[in-house]
């Protein structure tokens, strides 16, 4: 699925604006999310908070996702993450921006003061050569007028690879895994990740941010596993 410069990453036809990375036709054909809870992002009967969140809400205030974890976006995420196709990052960041702008209109979401990213342990970042989520955060911070702090959250230990674990094992794997390096008191924060699966990582970091005095937390991601 590699694209020639100035062509759509999906259909490979020339683009009027090369920086967009995806033509309007392919953008409209991305699988839409079903009605989802605005807080946890899981399927619900309407776009109102679901019963799960009314009884036991997650430790964040809103979740914004582009699509479910399915092709073609899941394939593009894998290319960025595991094949090092970093040229995809601006186009994928734009998809998050468009989804957030729509959610902001529909849900009156607060513009974040800061964009923070889910960190990789430095050993894993060294092996991969980059943090794919940081590549998404830089253009998003510029477009939204938010502050991006790359080293705001430190991963203290690597732990096991999350996507290989059960939900319970994910929660255990993340206990005490993160440390906050900046002052977030009174700040509205967008926490950015590429894929949210069980939400264990987002929840662990959100609890850390709230304990440090953050005013609100939105989770932004490309794909939400439904």
């Amino acid at each position: 699925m590699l694209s020639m410069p100035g062509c759509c990453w999906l259909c490979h036809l020339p683009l009027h604006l090369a920086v967009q990375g995806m033509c309007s036709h392919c953008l409209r054909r991305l699988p839409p999310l079903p009605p989802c809870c605005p807080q946890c992002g899981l399927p619900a009967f309407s776009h109102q908070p679901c019963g799960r969140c009314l009884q036991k809400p997650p430790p964040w205030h809103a979740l914004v996702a582009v699509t479910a974890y399915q092709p073609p976006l899941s394939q593009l995420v894998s290319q960025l993450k595991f094949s090092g196709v970093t040229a995809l990052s601006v186009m994928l960041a734009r998809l998050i921006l468009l989804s957030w702008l729509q959610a902001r209109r529909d849900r009156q979401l607060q513009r974040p003061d800061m964009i923070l990213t889910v960190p990789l342990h430095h050993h894993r970042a060294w092996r991969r050569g980059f943090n794919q989520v940081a590549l998404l955060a830089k253009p998003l911070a510029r477009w939204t007028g938010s502050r991006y702090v790359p080293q705001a959250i430190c991963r203290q230990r690597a732990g096991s690879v999350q996507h290989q674990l059960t939900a319970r094992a994910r929660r255990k794997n993340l206990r005490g895994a993160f440390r906050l390096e900046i002052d977030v008191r009174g700040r509205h924060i967008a926490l950015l990740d590429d894929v949210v699966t069980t939400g264990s990582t987002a929840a662990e970091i959100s609890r850390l941010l709230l304990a440090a005095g953050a005013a609100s937390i939105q989770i932004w991601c490309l794909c939400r596993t439904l």
Side-chain angles (χ1 to χ4, degrees):
M1 295 176 67
L2 290 176
S3 177
M4 295 295 290
C7 294
C8 174
W9 282 94
L10 294 180
C11 69
H12 309 294
L13 292 176
L15 291 170
H16 178 64
L17 294 175
V19 70
Q20 293 183 349
M22 185 181 293
C23 69
S24 58
H25 176 70
C26 289
L27 182 62
R28 288 192 298 270
R29 292 186 64 192
L30 287 178
L33 283 169
C36 288
C37 170
Q39 189 162 6
C40 69
L42 292 175
F45 291 112
S46 69
H47 294 287
Q48 301 299 316
C50 66
R52 295 177 297 266
C53 290
L54 291 174
Q55 292 185 348
K56 188 178 180 181
W60 62 76
H61 301 89
L63 186 144
V64 176
V66 180
T67 73
Y69 189 69
Q70 63 187 65
L73 207 55
S74 59
Q75 298 167 335
L76 297 177
V77 170
S78 293
Q79 287 187 56
L80 171 64
K81 194 170 182 176
F82 301 117
S83 301
V85 188
T86 56
L88 280 164
S89 60
V90 174
M91 183 269 286
L92 294 175
R94 178 175 173 264
L95 295 181
I96 295 175
L97 176 70
L98 294 174
S99 296
W100 176 73
L101 289 172
Q102 182 63 53
R104 190 184 190 194
R105 288 190 291 269
D106 295 343
R107 303 187 234 162
Q108 291 77 52
L109 295 183
Q110 176 80 32
R111 184 186 67 82
D113 303 310
M114 293 181 175
I115 294 179
L116 307 183
T117 53
V118 173
L120 289 176
H121 189 267
H122 62 273
H123 289 156
R124 194 163 290 153
W126 178 80
R127 287 197 301 269
R128 187 172 295 172
F130 60 94
N131 181 348
Q132 73 282 354
V133 186
L135 298 179
L136 303 173
K138 291 175 183 177
L140 279 168
R142 186 172 68 252
W143 296 333
T144 59
S146 308
R147 179 186 173 205
Y148 169 49
V149 188
Q151 306 302 326
I153 305 166
C154 171
R155 186 152 195 156
Q156 302 184 95
R157 54 183 175 79
S160 303
V161 179
Q162 284 287 95
H163 68 261
Q164 298 173 353
L165 303 176
T166 64
R168 178 178 292 182
R170 286 172 188 244
R171 291 191 293 271
K172 184 177 180 181
N173 185 50
L174 290 167
R175 286 179 195 146
F178 303 104
R179 185 177 70 245
L180 185 61
E181 302 286 350
I182 63 170
D183 184 2
V184 297
R185 285 174 292 182
R187 302 293 187 178
H188 299 281
I189 293 172
L191 178 63
L192 181 64
D193 205 355
D194 50 4
V195 179
V196 172
T197 306
T198 64
S200 298
T201 301
E204 184 71 16
I205 296 176
S206 295
R207 281 189 284 266
L208 182 67
L209 293 169
L210 290 174
S216 70
I217 300 167
Q218 299 172 33
I219 307 299
W220 294 1
C221 62
L222 286 163
C223 298
R224 176 63 159 123
T225 300
L226 303 181

